[in-house]
C-alpha cells in the first residue's frame, strides 16, 4: 500500500521558554494559514492569540475572505502545474509540507466525518494533451512520486475518459493523450474554517479583530508589547505586500462558478477532474513544454460543484459564461447546470511560499504566499513554522544560559 511520509514535522513537540513559562505567540491573519498555525502551536503547549481584520463567517451575506474561495482540493506538490518549475530545494519543501497535511486530513475525516469538518474523500483525475514523459523529466518524476505515495493511482487516459464519462466528441472536444488518477481529499473551505475556529477556541486560542498597518518590521515590537507576546507569526497573505514590502508576492484574479450538483439537471459529479494543456512548444531554448491547468471541476460537497478555468477576462459576467462554456466541453450535460454562487477575488501568488523566520528580526516568522496550494500545504507549513519557533526558544535558552 502506498503511504504518505509526514516526516519529523509530525512529531509531538513541546515549546517552552527558558524561565519555564508558556510562550505566548501572536499570529496575524485569520485565514486557513493563520488558524492552522495557531492549532499547531497550541498542540505544542503555546498560548496563542490571533488578530485579523476579518474572519470567515457562517452568514451568507457577509463578505468572504480569500481562504473561503479556494477550490479546496489536496494535490501532490506542486499543485498548480503538471510539472515542477520550482528550484529543486523549494519543490522538496512543497512535498515535505503536503504530506503531513494529507495525513492530518485523513485523520480528521476518519475521526469526525465530512459533515463536521467539511473534509471529503474524492478520486482526482488529471488529464493532459501531451504524453507526460514528453512534458519534462519533473512531470514524469511527479507522477512516479504520486504512484509511490497516493492510494488508488491508475494511469491510462482511455480508461479515465470512459470512467469519468468525459466527452471526446465534437469540434471543440479535447484530445487527451495521457492521464492518471489517485485518491485525495477535498476541503469545503467555509465548513472547515468554521471547524478550525471552534477547535482552536476550545483549546484556548483568542481570536480578536484587529487590523495591522504600516511596516511589520517597524511595528512588530509594538505589537508584541501591546499583546504581551514573545514572537509574532505573519500569515496575512496578500496584505504582506504592504506589511513586508514583499515584491515577490503578486495578485492574481481567480473566478469560480458554483453549480448545484444534486443529480437533477445533470448526472451528479462525484470526482475531481483537472485538464492540462501545453501552452508552449519545445525549441532549442526550451527543453520542455510549458503546461497549465485550463479547466477543473471540484465537487466541494454533496450539493455544490466548483467549476473553474484560467479565464482572466475583465468583465465578471463574461468570465462566468466562459467558465460554463469551457466546462461543457468536458461534460455537455453541464449546459443545464444551475448556478448558485460564484467567487471572484484577487488572491496571493508567490513563486515560493515564505515559511520560516524573518532574516532581519528573529522574533518575526512568516507563513504566507501559498496561492492555490493553501489547503494542500496548510498543516505542513504550520508544523514547519512551529519547528522554527521551537528552535528559536531553544537557541535563546542556550544564549541566556551561556557563560561565555
Amino acid at each position: 500500500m502506498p503511504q504518505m511520509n509526514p516526516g519529523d514535522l509530525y512529531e509531538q513537540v513541546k515549546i517552552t521558554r527558558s524561565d519555564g513559562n508558556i510562550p505566548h505567540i501572536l499570529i496575524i491573519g485569520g485565514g486557513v494559514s493563520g488558524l492552522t498555525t495557531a492549532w499547531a502551536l497550541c498542540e505544542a503547549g503555546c498560548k496563542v492569540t490571533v488578530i485579523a481584520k476579518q474572519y470567515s463567517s457562517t452568514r451568507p451575506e457577509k463578505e468572504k475572505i480569500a481562504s473561503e474561495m479556494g477550490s479546496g482540493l489536496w494535490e501532490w506538490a506542486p499543485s498548480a502545474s503538471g510539472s515542477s518549475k520550482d528550484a529543486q530545494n523549494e519543490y522538496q519543501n512543497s512535498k515535505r509540507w503536503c504530506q503531513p497535511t494529507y495525513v492530518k486530513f485523513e485523520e480528521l475525516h476518519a475521526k469526525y466525518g465530512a459533515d463536521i469538518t467539511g473534509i471529503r474523500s474524492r478520486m482526482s483525475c488529471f488529464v493532459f494533451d501531451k504524453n507526460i514523459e514528453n512534458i519534462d523529466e519533473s512531470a514524469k518524476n511527479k507522477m512516479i512520486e504520486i504512484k509511490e505515495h497516493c492510494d488508488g493511482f491508475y494511469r491510462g487516459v482511455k480508461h479515465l475518459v470512459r470512467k469519468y464519462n468525459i466527452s471526446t466528441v465534437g469540434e471543440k472536444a479535447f484530445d487527451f493523450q495521457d492521464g492518471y488518477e489517485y485518491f485525495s481529499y477535498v476541503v469545503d473551505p467555509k465548513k472547515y474554517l468554521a471547524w478550525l475556529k471552534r477547535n482552536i477556541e476550545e483549546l484556548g486560542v483568542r481570536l480578536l479583530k484587529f487590523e495591522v498597518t504600516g511596516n511589520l518590521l517597524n511595528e512588530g515590537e509594538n505589537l508584541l508589547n501591546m499583546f504581551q507576546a514573545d514572537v509574532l507569526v505573519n500569515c496575512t497573505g496578500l496584505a504582506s505586500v504592504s506589511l513586508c514590502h514583499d515584491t515577490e508576492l503578486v495578485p492574481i484574479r481567480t473566478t469560480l462558478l458554483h453549480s448545484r450538483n444534486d443529480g437533477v439537471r445533470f448526472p451528479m459529479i462525484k470526482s475531481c477532474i483537472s485538464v492540462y494543456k501545453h501552452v508552449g512548444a519545445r525549441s532549442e531554448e526550451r527543453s520542455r513544454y510549458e503546461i497549465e491547468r485550463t479547466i477543473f471541476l471540484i465537487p466541494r460537497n454533496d450539493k455544490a460543484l466548483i467549476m473553474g478555468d484560467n479565464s482572466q477576462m475583465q468583465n465578471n459576467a463574461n468570465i462566468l459564461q466562459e467558465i460554463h462554456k469551457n466546462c461543457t466541453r468536458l461534460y455537455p450535460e453541464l449546459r443545464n447546470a444551475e448556478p448558485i454562487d460564484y467567487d471572484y477575488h484577487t488572491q496571493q501568488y508567490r513563486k515560493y511560499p515564505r515559511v520560516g523566520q524573518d532574516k532581519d528580526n528573529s522574533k518575526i516568522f512568516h507563513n504566507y504566499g501559498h496561492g492555490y496550494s493553501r489547503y494542500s500545504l496548510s498543516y505542513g507549513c504550520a508544523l514547519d513554522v512551529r519547528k522554527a519557533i521551537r528552535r528559536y526558544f531553544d537557541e535563546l535558552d542556550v544564549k541566556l544560559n551561556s557563560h561565555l
Side-chain angles (χ1 to χ4, degrees), residues 184-250:
S184 185
Y185 289 95
V186 173
V187 176
D188 183 336
K190 184 173 280 291
K191 181 154 284 191
Y192 182 62
L193 289 170
W195 177 85
L196 261 181
K197 287 169 66 179
R198 291 194 306 271
N199 182 55
I200 63 176
E201 284 185 304
E202 289 173 2
L203 293 172
V205 175
R206 290 194 304 163
L207 301 178
L208 306 176
K209 282 195 173 183
F210 186 94
E211 184 177 4
V212 178
T213 58
N215 187 311
L216 193 57
L217 286 177
N218 297 336
E219 296 297 325
E221 202 63 40
N222 292 335
L223 289 167
L224 290 173
N225 290 333
M226 183 184 304
F227 292 95
Q228 298 182 321
D230 295 294
V231 298
L232 180 156
V233 186
N234 169 36
C235 302
T236 58
L238 198 54
S240 293
V241 172
S242 57
L243 289 176
C244 304
H245 301 296
D246 189 342
T247 57
E248 295 184 42
L249 192 63
V250 295

Side-chain angles (χ1 to χ4, degrees), residues 13 20 27 34 72 87 161 401:
V13 300
I27 296 174
V161 166
N401 290 284

